[in-house]
Amino acid sequence: MARVDGEKRIDHEKGSRRMSDSLNACTPSERHRIVAVGFADEIAATTDWSAQTPVPEWTARDVVAHLIDWFPPFLQAGGIALPSVSTDGDLGAAWDQRTTAVQSLLDDGDSDRDFTHPQLGTLPLSAAVDRFYTADIFMHTWDLAQAGGRIPDLDPEYAANLLDGLRSMEEMIRQSGQFGTARPVPGDAGPVVSLMAFIGRDPEFAS
């Protein structure tokens, strides 16, 4: 099994471009870096880790713990081991450790090698990270920001792409239980709010 040690810290300067800048034109490596730094910004802005999020059963701390904890088993199913990261202490430091390890996979010269997952089949490793993890970070950035009453600066074009993709497989994702029931949206809602409402978030949560 391949192991990622993640010794090299993620370069926040390279990820300093705002998440509202176009993500669609980025490589998987660039997109993960930008989205991960945007989520780190929301971690830094969070002062109440027990605050309720738009996900009914999750607090702000739970959102970060989810993103740190779920991806290693996903990769391990395809033969890649990420270093363990504790979420019991400083969540900012924990997030930096997790994203540094994932970024090292994407910055590797062999990031497009085949990755075979027992449920998903075979696809490039970079595509697996991009489709399943980076997209999840992007959507949960909304949750963490909303827990603190903030509206995150998210890329509407990328949100529109994600929404189109999710709509094309709506029956499957609803049956999976991973997304809530779609919420109604205001008539003037943009792609970001429309995406969040589609996956079950209340557009008026932080109003």
Side-chain angles (χ1 to χ4, degrees):
M1 177 178 291
R3 180 169 182 84
V4 177
D5 294 325
E7 305 119 340
K8 201 173 185 184
R9 291 169 62 89
I10 191 167
D11 187 341
H12 285 243
E13 287 300 316
K14 288 185 180 178
S16 63
R17 180 169 24 164
R18 296 181 310 159
M19 220 191 299
S20 62
D21 291 337
S22 178
L23 292 173
N24 290 334
C26 293
T27 65
S29 174
E30 292 168 341
R31 190 156 38 243
H32 173 264
R33 190 185 306 276
I34 294 167
V35 172
V37 168
F39 190 76
D41 289 343
E42 293 302 334
I43 291 176
T46 300
T47 57
D48 181 3
W49 288 108
S50 64
Q52 179 63 51
T53 72
V55 182
E57 62 272 24
W58 283 357
T59 64
R61 177 173 286 275
D62 293 330
V63 171
V64 182
H66 163 74
L67 287 174
I68 289 174
D69 292 342
W70 83 260
F71 198 47
F74 175 91
L75 288 179
Q76 191 165 25
I80 296 174
L82 288 178
S84 61
V85 174
S86 172
T87 57
D88 293 334
D90 181 346
L91 289 178
W95 180 245
D96 189 55
Q97 292 173 50
R98 171 59 70 237
T99 56
T100 295
V102 174
Q103 192 66 45
S104 71
L105 288 175
L106 295 170
D107 290 343
D108 187 288
D110 197 25
S111 64
D112 287 335
R113 67 186 183 273
D114 283 348
F115 171 76
T116 301
H117 189 278
Q119 274 78 52
L120 301 171
T122 300
L123 68 166
L125 174 60
S126 59
V129 176
D130 194 45
R131 294 179 197 173
F132 298 101
Y133 192 55
T134 301
D136 202 40
I137 299 169
F138 181 87
M139 291 185 284
H140 285 306
T141 299
W142 172 272
D143 296 326
L144 187 56
Q146 288 279 281
R150 300 179 301 278
I151 298 176
D153 190 17
L154 298 174
D155 175 9
E157 294 180 2
Y158 182 61
N161 274 2
L162 289 180
L163 180 56
D164 287 345
L166 291 172
R167 280 176 172 158
S168 71
M169 59 180 88
E170 181 169 9
E171 183 177 356
M172 181 183 70
I173 66 172
R174 299 296 179 209
Q175 291 175 350
S176 74
Q178 295 177 354
F179 296 93
T181 302
R183 300 293 192 99
V185 295
D188 60 349
V192 173
V193 172
S194 296
L195 169 64
M196 299 309 158
F198 182 81
I199 63 174
R201 307 313 194 246
D202 178 3
E204 305 297 329
F205 179 84
S207 297

